[in-house]
Amino acid sequence: MNIKQILSEIIRNEDVFALCKFFFNVEITEGQEQIIRNIIFPSKKRVVISAYTRYGKSYAVSMAVCIYILLNEKKRINLIAPTGDQTQILRNYITGFIIEHEMLRSMVDLALSMDTDRLKKEVSKKRITFKNGCELRVLSAQGSGDRLMGWGGDLIVLDESCLV
């Protein structure tokens, strides 16, 4: 079996543990697997994730968003949090995944000759576009509700929804 066949088999079986190992070489907990599964292979239109602090929610959601980008084309992903500071948590995890993993890094729609510091600065912005047509946007719900008008997406992650 070649790599494409292996990946196709993993996706067909919806094996989230294998996807995380394949793309990021990490092992996740069963709770994180449920979080990632609900984002990558959703069985419901809306999902609420509630877990205690230090559970790994933000890490799992960020990894799931990255896998979603890797597996899809021309999708709009919006990360929304109550404040700009809170949006940085997910954005920083995603930035780390992009910088650390060649497959994601090569998909960022930037010059390939970019050094790591410049790459960090670029992927830390509020909007990241990928060569597969996906677009990741980070939005803050701080202030009036009007600021989020018109920012529809295929995948919407609302962090700390009780504060929005």
Side-chain angles (χ1 to χ4, degrees), residues 60-71:
V61 167
S62 300
M63 186 181 302
V65 167
C66 290
I67 294 171
Y68 183 86
I69 291 166
L70 288 165
L71 297 180

Side-chain angles (χ1 to χ4, degrees), residues 120-137:
K120 280 182 189 175
K121 184 178 177 183
E122 287 297 316
V123 297
S124 294
K125 291 184 177 178
K126 293 185 180 211
R127 180 174 170 259
I128 304 169
T129 57
F130 296 86
K131 292 177 183 173
N132 65 353
C134 287
E135 176 182 274
L136 175 72
R137 195 174 287 275

Side-chain angles (χ1 to χ4, degrees), residues 54-115:
R54 307 292 305 158
Y55 189 79
K57 295 181 301 287
S58 297
Y59 180 78
V61 167
S62 300
M63 186 181 302
V65 167
C66 290
I67 294 171
Y68 183 86
I69 291 166
L70 288 165
L71 297 180
N72 291 282
E73 292 182 348
K74 299 179 183 168
K75 297 291 185 180
R76 293 172 300 157
I77 301 105
N78 292 335
L79 306 177
I80 303 169
T83 67
D85 287 345
Q86 285 174 305
T87 63
Q88 285 183 335
I89 296 167
L90 290 174
R91 187 179 61 213
N92 288 344
Y93 275 122
I94 291 170
T95 298
F97 283 122
I98 291 170
I99 290 168
E100 292 174 23
H101 301 283
E102 176 60 33
M103 193 176 298
L104 268 173
R105 192 170 54 241
S106 69
M107 288 179 61
V108 175
D109 198 12
L110 299 168
L112 293 175
S113 62
M114 203 176 286
D115 65 29

Side-chain angles (χ1 to χ4, degrees), residues 41-52:
F41 305 114
S43 60
K44 306 265 189 276
K45 187 173 181 174
R46 290 189 174 104
V47 176
V48 175
I49 299 166
S50 180
Y52 54 87

